[in-house]
Amino acid sequence: ALIIQKGRLFVGMGDNATGNLNDWWEYDIQQQTWTQRDDFPGARRHHPFQFKAGEHVYAGLGHGNRNPIIYKDWYQYNLDSNKWFKMNDFPGEARVAGTQFDRGGKGYVLRGDGDNHSFMQRGEFWEYDPFNDTWTELPPHPGISKWAPGSFLLGDTLYFLAGQNRRQNVNTDANWAYTFSTPVGFSAP
């Protein structure tokens, strides 16, 4: 995931031909320069979750080298010190390849596979509060979780779409909307 915060873009982790990575890079948008920063301190992984929340960047969860190993660990990349700090672990089922976004100073994790690298019975939705280092579970989306969905915000409405239904091993074109100003749950747009 690409994260833009305070005129800087951050990207890291993932995998390549040699396996999983834990590198972390900063791009200064104004100077148009790349700087390699301290590596992500957790195990190497791909399909992590990453977002900005409050004044800093957060990353964790994802898939490790051994199959299946799915992580619950969570870290802050402090933009003032350019250092990583361990935060409280994610309280839900370990997670990989969902979607993430930030809104109003908080971060969000939605969908993805669970700790056995397969679908979860519910489409879990979590909110991260960086000021208290706490997670709150929000109303789940309808149906099972989805692998590698997309999401975007327009105003107070989250739209998320597609992904793979891993129970049936088919791609899905289902689209859903969640309105934050009236959190009554998900609806079809």
Side-chain angles (χ1 to χ4, degrees):
L2 297 174
I3 305 162
I4 299 175
Q5 182 75 323
K6 296 184 178 181
R8 300 183 281 175
L9 179 141
F10 295 90
V11 62
M13 295 175 273
D15 61 353
N16 65 16
T18 64
N20 288 333
L21 304 169
N22 65 344
D23 60 341
W24 190 250
W25 292 83
E26 173 188 321
Y27 181 74
D28 184 305
I29 296 169
Q30 186 175 17
Q31 299 297 320
Q32 299 184 11
T33 57
W34 284 99
T35 303
Q36 186 168 10
R37 295 296 186 184
D38 290 348
D39 286 348
F40 175 76
R44 295 170 180 257
R45 64 192 70 196
H46 64 275
H47 289 134
F49 289 78
Q50 304 171 355
F51 52 69
K52 67 178 181 173
E55 295 295 314
H56 303 290
V57 173
Y58 295 83
L61 314 176
H63 188 289
N65 282 329
R66 289 173 275 144
N67 194 14
I69 185 167
I70 312 297
Y71 296 107
K72 297 177 76 154
D73 55 345
W74 195 243
Y75 299 85
Q76 175 197 79
Y77 184 75
N78 185 293
L79 295 179
D80 298 324
S81 66
N82 291 316
K83 299 290 181 197
W84 288 100
F85 295 94
K86 177 76 172 85
M87 308 306 286
N88 290 324
D89 283 353
F90 177 69
E93 186 173 338
R95 191 70 41 97
V96 63
T99 189
Q100 65 271 302
F101 60 95
D102 62 275
R103 177 188 174 276
K106 296 182 179 179
Y108 296 85
V109 167
L110 178 63
R111 291 183 162 185
D113 274 2
D115 58 13
N116 64 352
H117 208 305
S118 186
F119 68 91
M120 294 181 294
Q121 292 297 325
R122 296 178 345 129
E124 292 184 4
F125 186 24
W126 291 84
E127 176 184 80
Y128 179 72
D129 182 341
F131 304 105
N132 300 314
D133 187 23
T134 58
W135 292 90
T136 302
E137 189 169 10
L138 300 176
H141 67 77
I144 65 171
S145 66
K146 301 288 189 272
W147 168 265
S151 66
F152 61 93
L153 285 166
L154 289 176
D156 286 332
T157 303
L158 162 69
Y159 296 90
F160 67 101
L161 54 141
Q164 186 178 60
N165 176 329
R166 306 262 289 184
R167 181 184 338 195
Q168 298 170 336
N169 203 28
V170 296
N171 291 331
T172 178
D173 59 2
N175 300 311
W176 297 96
Y178 179 89
T179 302
F180 282 92
S181 58
T182 55
V184 296
F186 287 91
S187 63

